[in-house]
Amino acid sequence: MSEPAPSTEIHSVLSEGRVFPPPESFSRAAHIRSLEEYGRLALEARRDPDAYWGARAREEIFWKEPFRTVLEWKPPDARWFIEGKTNLSYNCLDRHLSTRRAQVAIRFEGEPEDRRNLTYGELHREVCRLAGGLKSLGVGKGDRVGIYLPQVPEAAVAMLACARIGALHSVVFAGFSAEALQERMKDAGAKVLLTADGGWRKGQVVPLRKNALEAARQVSTLERVVVLGRTGAVAPSDPKEVSWASLVSGQPESLEPEWVESEHPLFILYTSGSTGKPKGVLHTTGGYSVNVSLTTRWVFDLKPDDIFWCTADIGWVTGHSYVVYGPLMNGGTTVLYEGAPMTPGPDRFWDIVERHRVNVFYTAPTAIRSFMRLGREWPDRHDLSSLRLLGTVGEPINPEAWIWYREVIGGGRCPVVDTWWQTETGAIMITPLPGATPTKPGSATLPLPGIEAEVLDRHGRPVPRGQGGLLFVARPWPSMLRTVYGDPERYAKAYFGEQPGKYFTGDGARQDEDGYFWLMGRVDDVVNVAGHRLGTAEVESALVADGRVSEAAVVGRPDELKGTALVAFVTLKKGVEPKGELRAELAEHVTKLIGAIARPDEIRFAEALPKTRSGKIMRRLLRDVASGRQTTGDTTTLEDLGVLAALRGEEE
Ligand code: ATP
Ligand code: MG
């Protein structure tokens, strides 16, 4: 039985007539230069996926030993590039030494405005020294190493050093508590933890060393905690503690990489926890490297002279793939910023773009919405003319925010790439290609060639264009996760339990008449109102389109009559009064844009919305608040518990 069709009206209203062709400069010089070329590649990949991916793998990275088989697929288990041997640290560093040893690889800026540049030559040396240091602690191929560091160059050095010796890294975002760190280190069975005395955040020092030592006391596998002096000098006082400086001193400046099999595990990364308990997503070397390298070039058009700034923290997959590995594999320059976006003032980001002459900028909708809320006067104070391409990731982007981003930050000249992907996918999956794809605000557009994205109903049948359904990927791709660390059953059930052999993303989506994908939010967030399936993302976009609303989160609450009633949590732009009639006006506005079916039954004004530490709205908590339930799920990844308390307080 297929679900009734949800309204498709919203996209035609919110994006009406707003199709942006690829700028001519990109159609001339980007990797893929027309929709026809894209179509040809997509067809080629569909007809002979092994040939297609084999060619990509040979093109993107250096193989010490060639692979003989492209793919062995025994659902849900995939093995890519069998018998191939490579090393990711070699592909990021050594490969460039003969051509760009003196080129800057990392441009670092600390929150207190201290700056440091590392050339490819220097980065290579630091990586080799730390790799040697780790070996001296007994870390070898297959061992797990925790990384709990601020966004400083040593964080990238740490990841690359692990990759160099075949150890798996597991990066934990430095904003997480000792408890969250401990839980992840235990799950990963980490042997060594790399941390710092502290890191700067909003003018304060985050007590990383204290948290790390606390975790080390609770995790029996953790033998050593290596502490970097970021905010001061390190004087080890704990029996497990070693200073970073002493560990690397005297280590050789060059160390042969460990050539690992393509399927050798590269890292474990815990997902951000928007929907439940974080999962330890495991990625392996060859396939991950290929897709990350390729997408950085194809999607961001990254050239070696480019200065690329991805604002994500290395604690998230976006930081892994597009702060560290993607730009370095392509020989670019990556910007690393340690601190908060609004410190010391609301224009810190634009100041960085101006001073570092950033060419390609990649951030999240949550950041764009908060900049929008503050008004264009902040970016307008800066020269942003170095920018040539803008990207977004993490949540569906409201068309209103997309347009603002393009006009105000991109000066109307930069293409915007709305990239859909997940921790599990390793690399970008659905995205415009800047030289080929006409964009529509709010749509992630088309899957990359070789990515067989499909919208299906619960029974695995394709849903007609314009109708909402579940987003699947019908064929394996090189950078897919290989398992949930230590829990292969959860892997099989969560990702391949819906349809045999097809990867289930957990997201809802619809394809429009052009085949473009519109992400509707997580399947759990799709609500059923009087028999109609509604993506919360579209109701939220309609609210944001009012102009007075800064952010909106819409959830369902059980309702006797309608089955589900819609509750909207709304934050307002600076200076807008939360008056009673505004509620009615907003409800009316949604009705006008989507239809009466989407009219919120209740609108609540809030100061802030509960978010994960990666900046995503946690709708599952709002569902509890809306229905007056106690929160039962995992809240360790929530950024600020106070926000939840404030929302509950409003209920009385
Ligand atoms: P968890 O899986 O632990 O609940 P999470 O899904 O938030 O956490 P990530 O892997 O960081 O962890 O996020 C991937 C999800 O983010 C996607 O499944 C999708 O819901 C959302 N997302 C990412 N990029 C986009 C985008 N461009 N448009 C719409 N949604 C996006
Ligand atoms: Mg997820």
Side-chain angles (χ1 to χ4, degrees):
M1 240 180 48
S2 86
E3 305 278 355
S7 158
T8 50
E9 214 123 276
I10 183 151
H11 303 307
S12 47
V13 177
L14 287 174
S15 310
E16 196 174 8
R18 291 193 272 194
V19 176
F20 297 90
E24 223 234 300
S25 53
F26 285 87
S27 315
R28 244 184 294 117
H31 186 77
I32 294 178
R33 301 172 191 194
S34 67
L35 219 41
E36 291 68 48
E37 197 182 335
Y38 160 83
R40 267 198 308 278
L41 269 178
L43 196 64
E44 203 183 298
R46 185 161 307 148
R47 286 201 181 128
D48 192 346
D50 282 11
Y52 174 81
W53 286 120
R56 298 294 81 75
R58 279 183 283 269
E59 203 166 271
E60 292 301 327
I61 65 171
F62 171 80
W63 296 90
K64 180 78 171 170
E65 303 274 345
F67 51 89
R68 308 212 181 272
T69 308
V70 172
L71 168 67
E72 188 190 281
W73 177 224
K74 295 182 185 146
D77 298 310
R79 291 174 67 220
W80 284 90
F81 311 127
I82 300 163
E83 285 178 61
K85 283 197 170 181
T86 187
N87 181 286
L88 182 48
S89 137
Y90 180 92
N91 278 298
C92 288
L93 303 171
D94 311 50
R95 199 167 44 141
H96 306 308
L97 289 182
S98 61
T99 46
R100 49 181 73 97
R101 183 181 287 272
Q103 182 195 307
V104 174
I106 295 180
R107 296 179 74 108
F108 165 71
E109 182 162 319
E111 195 184 80
E113 294 195 30
D114 51 326
R115 280 175 222 159
R116 189 151 50 110
N117 287 349
L118 264 89
T119 63
Y120 273 94
E122 289 162 343
L123 184 60
H124 174 261
R125 188 186 66 208
E126 293 311 313
V127 168
C128 289
R129 291 171 72 205
L130 181 65
L134 286 170
K135 278 188 150 178
S136 76
L137 296 180
V139 177
K141 191 175 168 190
D143 286 335
R144 276 83 60 213
V145 174
I147 297 178
Y148 184 59
L149 280 167
Q151 191 91 331
V152 293
E154 283 78 5
V157 170
M159 292 164 70
L160 289 158
C162 289
R164 196 162 190 91
I165 60 175
L168 287 68
H169 55 70
S170 186
V171 183
V172 177
F173 173 52
F176 276 132
S177 64
E179 196 192 330
L181 172 66
Q182 176 195 317
E183 195 187 312
R184 288 162 176 73
M185 291 298 97
K186 202 174 266 174
D187 191 81
K191 190 167 184 177
V192 168
L193 176 58
L194 300 168
T195 189
D197 56 345
W200 291 100
R201 188 88 193 163
K202 298 185 185 166
Q204 307 280 320
V205 173
V206 185
L208 299 175
R209 170 177 177 266
K210 188 171 151 275
N211 290 348
L213 292 176
E214 213 172 296
R217 275 191 285 277
Q218 306 298 326
V219 181
S220 57
T221 55
L222 268 181
E223 294 168 12
R224 292 291 191 163
V225 178
V226 180
V227 185
L228 173 78
R230 162 70 184 125
T231 61
V234 178
S237 62
D238 187 281
K240 287 187 178 177
E241 196 177 9
V242 197
S243 93
W244 186 297
S246 69
L247 181 70
V248 301
S249 90
Q251 289 296 335
E253 296 194 351
S254 180
L255 181 136
E256 176 71 8
E258 176 85 33
W259 298 105
V260 297
E261 314 75 57
S262 174
E263 279 302 331
H264 183 66
L266 178 66
F267 65 81
I268 302 165
L269 180 61
Y270 292 84
T271 56
S272 64
S274 314
T275 51
K277 191 178 181 311
K279 305 168 273 279
V281 167
L282 182 92
H283 280 287
T284 58
T285 308
Y288 173 83
S289 304
V290 169
N291 277 131
V292 169
S293 170
L294 175 152
T295 48
T296 307
R297 232 153 28 83
W298 292 21
V299 178
F300 298 114
D301 190 41
L302 198 75
K303 311 267 199 295
D305 325 333
D306 272 327
I307 299 185
F308 183 46
W309 186 22
C310 165
T311 68
D313 192 275
I314 51 136
W316 315 122
V317 73
T318 309
H320 283 55
S321 301
Y322 302 108
V323 174
V324 180
Y325 292 130
L328 296 179
M329 272 190 279
N330 283 283
T333 299
T334 185
V335 174
L336 221 59
Y337 169 57
E338 176 190 33
M342 309 280 177
T343 307
D347 57 344
R348 181 65 185 264
F349 269 23
W350 318 126
D351 188 40
I352 294 176
V353 168
E354 179 175 6
R355 279 186 293 99
H356 293 269
R357 307 301 297 154
V358 172
N359 304 115
V360 180
F361 180 70
Y362 190 32
T363 196
T366 179
I368 298 167
R369 288 190 304 256
S370 59
F371 292 126
M372 231 173 122
R373 182 182 201 173
L374 292 161
R376 68 174 298 158
E377 70 242 43
W378 296 101
D380 280 352
R381 286 183 194 180
H382 296 274
D383 173 9
L384 305 181
S385 62
S386 58
L387 291 173
R388 62 182 196 87
L389 188 147
L390 303 174
T392 152
V393 63
E395 287 183 290
I397 180 164
N398 319 107
E400 207 67 19
W402 192 104
I403 300 271
W404 187 90
Y405 192 32
R406 186 179 188 279
E407 296 307 319
V408 176
I409 305 305
R413 66 178 188 281
C414 305
V416 173
V417 292
D418 172 5
T419 62
W420 177 87
W421 61 295
Q422 312 176 294
T423 309
E424 294 89 339
T425 68
I428 294 169
M429 303 283 279
I430 305 181
T431 178
L433 292 166
T437 320
T439 49
K440 303 182 191 183
S443 170
T445 75
L446 300 166
L448 285 164
I451 304 301
E452 301 298 339
E454 287 180 351
V455 181
L456 306 176
D457 68 16
R458 284 265 167 220
H459 309 281
R461 289 180 304 226
V463 302
R465 294 264 162 107
Q467 233 172 279
L470 313 175
L471 181 64
F472 283 85
V473 184
R475 283 194 48 85
W477 66 100
S479 64
M480 65 192 270
L481 82 164
R482 298 300 192 263
T483 191
V484 171
Y485 191 70
D487 198 349
E489 273 157 37
R490 189 172 180 195
Y491 166 74
K493 187 161 175 287
Y495 303 108
F496 292 93
E498 285 284 328
Q499 291 303 323
K502 294 188 177 184
Y503 171 83
F504 177 48
T505 64
D507 285 351
R510 124 168 77 252
Q511 280 184 279
D512 68 14
E513 62 284 3
D514 297 320
Y516 277 34
F517 285 77
W518 297 81
L519 276 299
M520 296 166 65
R522 295 151 201 293
V523 169
D524 306 350
D525 297 337
V526 173
V527 291
N528 199 320
V529 181
H532 295 261
R533 282 167 65 82
L534 273 175
T536 51
E538 34 198 24
V539 187
E540 290 158 8
S541 287
L543 285 162
V544 172
D546 173 81
R548 288 171 291 184
V549 170
S550 166
E551 278 194 306
V554 174
V555 298
R557 154 163 64 68
D559 182 274
E560 274 186 21
L561 222 60
K562 300 169 77 178
T564 310
L566 288 181
V567 182
F569 294 84
V570 164
T571 64
L572 298 171
K573 288 218 179 116
K574 239 176 48 195
V576 179
E577 287 269 333
K579 283 189 305 232
E581 62 260 34
L582 183 54
R583 287 200 175 88
E585 286 165 27
L586 291 176
E588 199 41 49
H589 180 72
V590 175
T591 310
K592 209 176 91 212
L593 287 188
I594 311 180
I597 188 75
R599 184 188 181 94
D601 296 276
E602 194 186 326
I603 294 183
R604 295 196 191 182
F605 297 120
E607 275 304 311
L609 300 175
K611 293 190 178 167
T612 60
R613 290 176 199 249
S614 55
K616 300 178 195 214
I617 300 170
M618 274 174 126
R619 289 179 190 74
R620 70 181 160 89
L621 299 184
L622 289 173
R623 276 199 294 275
D624 292 342
V625 174
S627 53
R629 282 193 302 260
Q630 269 315 95
T631 300
T632 46
D634 185 292
T635 53
T636 52
T637 64
L638 186 68
E639 193 193 35
D640 181 0
L641 266 172
V643 171
L644 199 60
L647 287 167
R648 289 197 178 282
E650 231 214 42
E651 284 179 81
E652 268 95 57

